[in-house]
Structure formats: structure tokens, C-alpha cells
Amino acid sequence: MSSDIRELLKIEKPILSAPMGGAAGPDLVAAVCNAGGYGVIPLWGKPAAQVASGIEAVRALTDRNFAVNINLEFPYEEQLQACIDKQVHAVSLFWGMEPEAISKAKTGGLLVMASVGNAAEAKAAEEAGADIIVAQGWEAGGHVWGQVATMALIPAVVDAVSVPVVAAGGIADGRGMAAALMLGASAVWVGTRFLASAEATIHDEYRRRILNATEAQTEWYYDLYDVKWPQAPHRALANSTAQEWKDAGSAAPGQRPNEQEIIGRRPDGEAVVRYQSYTPLPETQGDVEAMSLWSGQGVSMVREVMPAAQIVHEIFNEAQALLNAAPSRL
Ligand SMILES: Cc1cc2nc3c(=O)[nH]c(=O)nc-3n(C[C@H](O)[C@H](O)[C@H](O)COP(=O)(O)O)c2cc1C
């Protein structure tokens, strides 16, 4: 289990915690870094001052490297500049490919991780200067850029580029990590499993549902939770909102049941409406079950809440044991 990504990221364990809007804050990111992995903090959609303070908040908890995740669907220049000003170790760019963003980050001295959904996109990102490709399979929780499942995606991407490839989507334990490495990935990018870390900032009801869901209880939607972020496919736990929408013939936006209904309040008091793209936080009020409960298909492997550091150690040790024992399986 050696790869140059460890050199590049200066880590001991090739495990990255996925950026998860709302759920992965400084505590989770720093815990993963301090455990020898690499954390990625989502700071997109925030003013530059908040990007800077988010970076400082992680730095107060770890002296290790980490990345800031930026969403290319929304204006991103301010956030990218703040990352450059703060000389954060890396930026993770997702939802599309902007060669200008890659070259700006590179010129600013940052390492660039580009999230892709197929081999052609990976090639384009490498040509634009990306140092690391994150290949996100269709099993993934949250917003899902591509349509190819991890098992087929990783080898295709690995064959297409010469930079390290990080595998994302459906990887929740050491078995998934060992498999991803055998498919040619240099590291894994884990989301849903970390929703059950002690450090994830999600509502108890959301966490409870994650701990009880099976692999068959997530669904991929083209634009169900489209309020605030339209036409961005995603995977979430099936819930009452999805059921009522399906019962109404999977109606198009504008014709869905109870659109604009206020179903809760964010901690700052702002309304959460039905079909909103929103991660319920610990202090969110209202009908949490009906909100967008992002989850990947690997959720059936997520059965226990534990500190993020323990998750990193457990996944790494299990993958190592499996890979060491692999010859006996042939
Ligand atoms: C709650 C949640 C929020 C997410 N938010 C983001 C985000 O802000 N930026 C991003 O690049 N990916 C985001 N994702 C996708 C993850 O980065 C990652 O691709 C995915 O979790 C991997 O699949 P897994 O959940 O099966 O581990 C999110 C995923 C979840 C579950």
C-alpha cells in the first residue's frame, strides 16, 4: 500500500474525508488529518472572510495539510483568492471543469484536486494542470456529478491519466478501500461513513436514519432537492418528500406536491422549504425526516457512531489486513 499521493499530501494513510456541505466542519477535518489521513473542508458559497476564518479554524486544531472544497457551479473567484491568500495546501474543485480555476490555483501555489465523473473529464482536468483526480462514482451520497459506478469508473480513469486518482462513492470500510486500491486508485475519499463520526455536524434524526438505512434505501434524483441548487443530480435517503413526489407521478419542478411549504428552520431562523438542497444541522428545527438526507449506497456499512480518528484507523487497518491476505484468496 504505497503510493506517491502520500508524498504529495504528506500523509500516512491514503484516506481523505469527503467535503460534505454543512456536515464536515473544522472538527471533522482536523480529526482526520491528525489521524494520518487528509481532510477536505467545504467553504464554497461563503464570503472571503468566512473562507479565511474557516481555514484558520482548521489550522487551530491541526498543523497538518488539508484542502478547501470549492463549488464551480456558483461564483468561486472570491473563495479561490481567499485560499491563495491563506496559502492553504490544496483546493478541491467540483461540479464541472474550469481550466482558469485550475491555472489560477496552480499559479497561486496550491495543489489542485479535480472531481470528475468519467475518464474524458479526468483527462481534461489533467491537461489543465490538476495534480490529483477525484473520481466520484454514482453510488456516492450528496450531489453526484457523473453516471458511472465506482467499480467501472476507477479503472477507466486510472487508465486515462498519469496523476494519482482518488476513488469516491460507496467506500465505507476497509473492504471498499482495498478494492479501490486494487482498481488502481491511490487513495479513497469517504463521505457517508463520516456522517456517523462524532465530529459530523448533522441533526440526530438524520444520523439515526443513516445508522438504520440499507443499501437499497437511497435514491438518485435528477432534480428533487433543487431549491437553491437547481439541476444538480444527487443521492439521498428515500423519505416522505420523495414518496409524495413519486405518488404524484414524479412531477416536474413547479408542479410537485407542497412546493414552497416551509418544513423547518435553520439555526439562524431562515426557513427551510420542501425540496430545498439543505443538510440538517444539529440545531435545525422542524420536519427533519422530510429534508434532503444525503447518503451514499454504502450506508448499510455505517452502523456505529465513532470518533473520526477511529474510522480512519479502522478502514486503514482492515484494508491493510485484507491486502496482506489477498494471495490466499486466489
Ligand atoms: C452530506 C453530504 C454533503 C456533500 N457535500 C459535498 C460538497 O460540499 N462538496 C463536494 O465536493 N462533495 C460533496 N459531497 C459528495 C462527497 O464529496 C463524496 O463524493 C461522496 O460522499 C462520496 O460517496 P460516499 O458518500 O458513498 O462516501 C457530499 C456528500 C454528502 C454525503
Side-chain angles (χ1 to χ4, degrees):
M1 286 181 48
S2 72
S3 66
D4 50 338
I5 202 165
R6 296 194 215 193
E7 270 296 298
L8 210 51
L9 301 181
K10 307 269 182 287
I11 53 174
E12 292 95 53
K13 300 184 175 80
I15 299 172
L16 290 84
S17 60
M20 295 187 287
D27 289 342
L28 173 52
V29 167
V32 169
C33 294
N34 290 335
Y38 192 94
V40 186
I41 185 160
L43 292 172
W44 52 271
K46 298 183 187 299
Q50 278 182 38
V51 176
S53 60
I55 292 169
E56 285 310 323
V58 181
R59 285 183 173 158
L61 300 170
T62 185
D63 53 9
R64 297 199 165 220
N65 293 325
F66 60 92
V68 171
N69 175 250
I70 291 176
N71 185 343
L72 300 175
E73 173 77 2
F74 300 100
Y76 62 82
E77 289 78 4
E78 205 186 323
Q79 290 80 8
L80 185 52
Q81 190 55 51
C83 291
I84 293 169
D85 293 344
K86 282 281 171 192
Q87 282 297 292
V88 71
H89 184 250
V91 278
S92 128
L93 305 175
F94 90 115
W95 219 256
M97 225 279 286
E98 300 276 353
E100 316 84 71
I102 296 179
S103 63
K104 183 167 184 203
K106 296 297 301 168
T107 310
L110 314 185
L111 214 68
V112 175
M113 304 178 180
S115 290
V116 304
N118 61 45
E121 290 171 3
K123 233 174 153 58
E126 181 183 40
E127 274 160 21
D131 302 283
I132 292 172
I133 301 296
V134 180
Q136 188 205 37
W138 193 71
E139 302 91 323
H143 287 84
V144 184
W145 175 253
Q147 303 254 348
V148 184
T150 305
M151 188 79 159
L153 177 66
I154 303 308
V157 171
V158 167
D159 288 348
V161 297
S162 53
V163 294
V165 174
V166 178
I171 301 164
D173 65 13
R175 294 171 296 182
M177 179 174 181
L181 297 183
M182 287 295 94
L183 292 173
S186 298
V188 292
W189 174 282
V190 178
T192 300
R193 175 76 192 268
F194 282 110
L195 289 176
S197 68
E199 292 87 348
T201 51
I202 60 170
H203 195 279
D204 281 347
E205 176 62 12
Y206 179 15
R207 192 181 270 110
R208 197 184 67 72
R209 287 179 175 272
I210 288 286
L211 293 171
N212 287 291
T214 72
E215 71 286 359
Q217 287 175 322
T218 78
E219 290 175 335
W220 180 92
Y221 309 107
Y222 176 69
D223 58 0
L224 185 65
Y225 298 110
D226 68 334
V227 177
K228 304 241 174 191
W229 189 357
Q231 292 178 359
H234 40 259
R235 183 176 293 283
L237 295 178
N239 64 357
S240 56
T241 295
Q243 191 56 53
E244 282 165 33
W245 168 70
K246 285 187 285 185
D247 291 346
S250 306
Q255 289 149 22
R256 296 173 297 197
N258 304 315
E259 286 195 313
Q260 286 160 24
E261 179 193 2
I262 293 175
I263 57 170
R265 299 253 161 216
R266 303 182 347 173
D268 64 5
E270 200 180 296
V272 177
V273 296
R274 197 175 289 278
Y275 306 110
Q276 182 168 331
S277 174
Y278 175 73
T279 308
L281 305 176
E283 308 82 14
T284 297
Q285 307 276 329
D287 189 0
V288 170
E289 184 277 335
M291 296 179 188
S292 51
L293 305 180
W294 318 114
S295 170
Q297 293 181 324
V299 68
S300 63
M301 291 172 265
V302 186
R303 296 291 83 136
E304 197 186 335
V305 177
M306 51 177 83
Q310 201 180 327
I311 295 176
V312 173
H313 296 313
E314 194 187 278
I315 293 177
F316 182 80
N317 292 339
E318 191 188 357
Q320 199 167 46
L322 285 169
L323 291 173
N324 286 337
S328 66
R329 293 188 160 232
L330 277 174

